Every structure is written in structure tokens, then in C-alpha cells.
Amino acid sequence: MRPLSLSALSSCAPTSLQSTVANAYVTKELPIAQAGLLANIGPNGAKSSGAYPGIVIASPSTRSSTNFIASGGSAASMSSLIDMFVSAEANIQQVASPSGNVTTGGLGEPKFMINETAFTGAWGRPQRDGPALRATTLITYANWLLQQDNVLYVTSALWPVIQLDLDYVASSWNLSTYDLWEEVYAYSFFTSAAATLGHSDLESNYAFQADRLLCFLQSFWNSSSGYIIANPGVQRSGIDANTVLASIHTFDVDAGCDATTYQPCSDKALANLKVYVDSFRGVYTINSGVPENEAVATGRYFEDVYQGGNPWYLTTFAVAEQLYDALIVWNKQGYLDVTDVSLDFFRTFDVSVSTGTYTASSSTYGTLMCAIKSFADGFVAVNANYTPSDGSLAEQYSRTDGLPVSAVDLTWSYASALTAFAALEGQSPVTWGAQALSVSSTCYSPVSVTFNVDATTAFGENIYLTGSLPALSSWDASTAIPMSSANYPIWSTTASLPPDTPIQYKYIRKDANSVTWESDPNNAFTTVASGSQMLDDLWR
């Protein structure tokens, strides 16, 4: 595979050490990653013995399947493999599981056995990104087949699977879910972004729900902190690889640097990337002493404790991929924009840069492009440094010494290497319609919501409101909204909130010395499309 060859990078200084290491690593690792991914696909994969045809195992360390689609290999062999995958997914859709059956929520089941039977053990379920990811994969395949005039297979084999998934997404996008790490039950930026589809030719209900979802997606942006809140309602920072993975998953080169869909080069996605990467600089021993403008190993989120809380190959590759995607777009359009939102990101590479538009003819444009390319190569080089000599990619590597840990030969690790390498080469996925999307004007017209709660208090106690949006203090008890006791024991407050948006909230009791939260679960509702509404609750 040849390295990224963009006209804007032709004037860069001689190849950096990071680029040299990255390019050498890609040459060696590419065939290993392709073989590693294919080895995990039944029935003939070298490490997936016993798996039914088309079933993709997460890792040889586990023997349950995950929903994933392979890439690479010859067109004929891959077509056969994809057809087996389609058949397997059609079968799995019909399997009754602890999440339900095909009509009662079963499509949100995240885990199955490799013989296409239900996994009935304890797990984080439902996980609602699966149907959206499967639909996206199969829609892409269907569009390619239609270009080959293969209408019969699309209508008879693909559309029934796709339609079930789209119906599920349309009816459940505004519900809580276990996140992609299968740990927390809340709203998830990745899941919401995965469900976003271009909808110029979708059935009317799909288009209507897509508009609502796009509006909701805007609520994850935390303008005061300058990053995307991955899981509103979860009692941690919200800084999470979830958001970086969402940006590269929804990459559409024709959408440019659109911030509405959080495209990789958008000011919000770049600001978020800097916050995410920087959060790991002081966490891992192997990142010690690395300057701010150089790459480091990254993990899921800096508070992570799973397996000791380590860097992941796939998250570190994801950072590189977002940066490569951004370079592709900037090179295509011949300019880049620096805004107040993205200024700190760009000043990582040029402390003198200011807000404005820099065209390809400017020296600043060239300086930034070369520095960001070297920065991106650095993340590939970090993974290269911690990849064992045989090229195998586990799930994680140790935060202290870089040795591989956790599940071995992780399918997702190999797939993330392949997509990052493709982006390094300058390849971009097929367009999906992001360019045509826009947020309805009503999305920015707030509605008035009055919260009432019946709560008896002791002297010195007061009731406050907090919730999943910045307008409700983003679950921060210290800045929660005070409620009026004018109609005691009814406590009330009114907030201006985005319309047609799923929201979670709780009441808290505070006195001079303590904070007491309402009992679980979170209260939840969806705001009206316009006007006002009132919620009447009883303290739990």
C-alpha cells in the first residue's frame, strides 16, 4: 500500500521519523491484518473453527459471534463471503434472545453463539447500534449490486434484512441503550451517529425520524467544555473514543467539514479529538514525557478500569484515521478553516495561527497539512511500537510496558488497522448523503418545560434539578438548577430545552453538608416539537 499522496503534502520536509515507521509498519501489517480478520470468519477461518458460515467471531478468546463485515481479498471470494454473512445475519435476526424476538426488541441483542443460537448469559443489553451498523453495511453492498444490475438479490435477500433494521432504528433511536463498550445504559453518541442516514429517497417515516435524530445529535455537543459528551447521564467526564469512532464511521467526503454530522475535519470533531487525545497524556506510563504535539497511545476513556484500563489498538488507529480523513477533505477542497471552536487543535501545530480560512496557496495551509500528517502517522507508529513481531493484534496493550493484554486476535483491532491504512492511502468510503442533510430550523427553537416534583424536605434542605443536557447542568450537582418551593411541597422550575429531544433527568436534595440523589432509574421524556409542556413527578 502506498502512503497518502496528496498534492498539498508534496512540499513537506523530508519524511519524518513517524512517517517512516508508519509506512514500514503498514507494508508489513497490512497482509497480516487482512489474514487475521479473515481467520475469524466461519466456516473456513483458521481461528473460527465451528463457526457457522458467515459468522464473525469477536476473538478466538471468546466463542460468541459479533456483527461485523470483512474487507479485502478478491472480488469474487469476498462476494461469496459477504453473501454468507448476509445469510447468517438474516438467520440471527430471527433468533429469540433475552432482548426479545424479531418484533419485540430482539434486534438489539448484541451477542450470539457461533452456531446462531441465543447467548443467554448476563450481558449489557440491548445494544441498539447493531441494527444501524448492519443496515449501513448492507445498504452499501446493495447500492453496489444495483450498479451491477443485480436487482433480484437486493430485493429478495438484502431488503428484508435492511427493512427490519431500519424499522427497529426508526422506533428505538430515542431510547436508552448499552453503549458500544457494553458497560453503561444511557444515550450514546456513537449509537445515535450510527443511526444517522442520508434520507433523500427514504420512506417518509424513515426520513421523519432521521430529521428528529439529526436534531437530537446536536445535543451531545458541550460548547462550554469544547467536546462531545459520549454518554449523557453517566457519572464520568464523557470524554470517550465513542465520539472519535462515530466521526470516522459517518465520514462522507462530499460533506466537507460539516459540523452537523460531526465530519472528521469539522471544528467540533477536531476540538473533541484534541480533548480526547490529551486526556491520556498523563494517564499511561508509556505516554510519559511525550510532547503535546506528538502522538500518544489512547484507550476507551481515561477513567477506564477494565483489565487495568489500557490503550487499545483500535482507538489509537481511530485517531490516525480521523486525521487522515480530515487531510483528504482539506486536500480535495483546497482550503481549511480555523474557527474559535477548532483554534486550540490547530495551535497544537502552529502557535501563531489565528481564526480564518487558509487556502492551498498560503504557507500556513502547507505548514498545518504537513504537521497534521506527521501527527497522524505518529499514532500508527505508536501502535507499531507495541505490536508484537508476529503482527498479531490483541484488544489492548499494557499501559505500563506496552505488552499485549486481554482478548487475542481481536477482529475489531484488525479491521481498525485496515480502515486506518486505507485512509492513509487516501481512500474514502462511498458517500452516504451527509452533504444533503441540514438541521431543521425548529431544532434551534427551544420549548418551555416546567418540572414539578412533590418532595417533603427538612429545614435547610432544598430540591434541585439536573439532567442529560447542558441546559440541565449535564448531571453536575454543583451547578444543578434550584427549584422554587412557593407551592410547597411542590417544587418547581421551568427550563428552555431543545424541541423533540429525548432527555433524562433527576431531582436532587441538597443541604449545607450533603447531596442526595433520587433513586434509579433516571426520569426520561421527549420534549414536544413546539410550545410548552409540564411534568409532574413524585420524589423517589
Side-chain angles (χ1 to χ4, degrees):
M1 178 178 286
R2 64 184 184 280
L4 185 64
S5 178
L6 303 177
S7 58
L9 301 177
S10 59
S11 60
C12 293
T15 303
S16 67
L17 175 61
Q18 293 94 329
S19 298
T20 300
V21 173
N23 293 338
Y25 177 66
V26 170
T27 300
K28 175 184 176 181
E29 186 66 23
L30 175 62
I32 297 173
Q34 290 174 332
L37 190 151
L38 293 173
N40 287 348
I41 304 176
N44 299 318
K47 297 184 178 180
S48 53
S49 176
Y52 275 27
I55 290 294
V56 186
I57 65 171
S59 160
S61 296
T62 62
R63 299 318 305 265
S64 56
S65 69
T66 184
N67 294 336
F68 214 95
I69 184 65
S71 60
S74 70
S77 63
M78 286 312 302
S79 178
S80 175
L81 194 58
I82 293 172
D83 290 347
M84 285 193 292
F85 171 83
V86 172
S87 178
E89 293 301 300
N91 293 339
I92 282 176
Q93 281 186 323
Q94 302 299 323
V95 174
S97 69
S99 294
N101 60 36
V102 68
T103 60
T104 61
L107 296 183
E109 176 64 24
K111 187 171 183 177
F112 296 87
M113 303 308 294
I114 61 173
N115 63 353
E116 298 179 359
T117 60
F119 171 77
T120 57
W123 205 254
R125 55 170 65 93
Q127 189 177 334
R128 304 185 195 278
D129 58 345
L133 294 170
R134 179 168 52 209
T136 300
T137 298
L138 297 187
I139 288 170
T140 302
Y141 185 42
N143 286 334
W144 180 81
L145 289 174
L146 291 174
Q147 293 173 358
Q148 319 304 314
D149 295 323
N150 193 344
V151 176
L152 179 61
Y153 184 78
V154 171
T155 56
S156 63
L158 294 182
W159 175 242
V161 178
I162 293 169
Q163 185 176 28
L164 285 173
D165 284 340
L166 291 180
D167 286 346
Y168 178 88
V169 171
S171 64
S172 66
W173 67 266
N174 57 352
L175 302 177
S176 294
T177 176
Y178 273 91
D179 68 341
L180 76 170
W181 310 127
E182 299 168 330
E183 292 180 337
V184 298
Y185 189 71
Y187 296 131
S188 166
F189 179 74
F190 178 84
T191 302
S192 297
T196 305
L197 295 170
H199 53 74
S200 59
D201 55 356
L202 290 180
E203 190 269 337
S204 59
N205 180 55
Y206 298 156
F208 173 67
Q209 298 300 336
D211 283 336
R212 295 179 65 203
L213 193 157
L214 189 63
C215 181
F216 176 50
L217 204 60
Q218 311 314 303
S219 68
F220 288 86
W221 174 248
N222 186 334
S223 59
S224 61
S225 300
Y227 66 88
I228 302 164
I229 302 293
N231 300 109
V234 176
Q235 301 300 309
R236 62 181 189 229
S237 66
I239 301 170
D240 195 304
N242 164 330
T243 59
V244 180
L245 293 164
S247 184
I248 61 177
H249 173 76
T250 56
F251 176 41
D252 184 336
V253 68
D254 289 345
C257 299
D258 172 52
T260 300
T261 53
Y262 298 89
Q263 290 298 303
C265 62
S266 67
D267 55 359
K268 291 180 179 179
L270 293 174
N272 177 76
L273 186 69
K274 176 174 171 55
V275 171
Y276 165 73
V277 170
D278 287 350
S279 72
F280 292 97
R281 292 190 180 278
V283 173
Y284 301 148
T285 302
I286 59 175
N287 289 342
S288 179
V290 177
E292 184 182 0
N293 64 347
E294 293 184 14
V296 291
T298 68
R300 302 189 302 174
Y301 47 91
F302 69 85
E303 305 99 330
D304 195 4
V305 296
Y306 171 62
Q307 295 284 330
N310 298 298
W312 287 46
Y313 290 102
L314 69 93
T315 59
T316 307
F317 277 134
V319 177
E321 185 171 342
Q322 182 181 334
L323 294 167
Y324 291 139
D325 289 346
L327 289 164
I328 290 169
V329 173
W330 290 326
N331 180 73
K332 177 184 177 183
Q333 64 188 19
Y335 67 90
L336 58 81
D337 290 318
V338 179
T339 71
D340 289 334
V341 172
S342 61
L343 183 59
D344 284 348
F345 168 83
F346 285 105
R347 282 188 171 171
T348 300
F349 313 105
D350 183 349
V351 295
S352 67
V353 74
S354 57
T355 58
T357 298
Y358 296 91
T359 64
S361 61
S362 68
S363 60
T364 300
Y365 174 89
T367 297
L368 291 173
M369 291 286 284
C370 292
I372 293 169
K373 171 59 166 59
S374 179
F375 189 56
D377 289 340
F379 290 93
V380 176
V382 167
N383 272 353
N385 190 43
Y386 300 114
T387 298
S389 59
D390 65 359
S392 61
L393 296 179
E395 182 180 71
Q396 310 170 39
Y397 46 96
S398 169
R399 62 194 291 159
T400 57
D401 59 18
L403 294 176
V405 295
S406 193
V408 301
D409 292 307
L410 191 75
T411 302
W412 198 357
S413 294
Y414 289 126
S416 68
L418 294 175
T419 56
F421 296 167
L424 169 58
E425 190 183 9
Q427 297 177 6
S428 56
V430 295
T431 184
W432 57 269
Q435 183 181 27
L437 297 183
S438 61
V439 176
S440 168
S441 60
T442 60
C443 183
Y444 299 110
S445 300
V447 296
S448 177
V449 180
T450 298
F451 296 83
N452 299 315
V453 60
D454 187 335
T456 303
T457 56
F459 180 76
E461 290 182 335
N462 291 284
I463 303 298
Y464 294 74
L465 171 70
T466 186
S468 57
L469 299 182
L472 297 179
S473 82
S474 297
W475 302 106
D476 184 350
S478 66
T479 59
I481 301 169
M483 303 185 74
S484 169
S485 60
N487 295 312
Y488 184 85
I490 305 300
W491 297 74
S492 303
T493 191
T494 300
S496 293
L497 301 173
D500 202 22
T501 300
I503 292 173
Q504 296 183 354
Y505 67 97
K506 273 188 176 180
Y507 302 105
I508 59 177
R509 185 187 302 264
K510 298 171 67 173
D511 60 23
N513 301 309
S514 63
V515 175
T516 302
W517 289 74
E518 245 191 324
S519 61
D520 288 334
N522 295 336
N523 303 302
F525 75 107
T526 298
T527 53
V528 293
S530 62
S532 61
Q533 67 190 117
M534 182 177 294
L535 302 173
D536 295 311
D537 298 307
L538 180 67
W539 172 273
R540 303 191 313 270

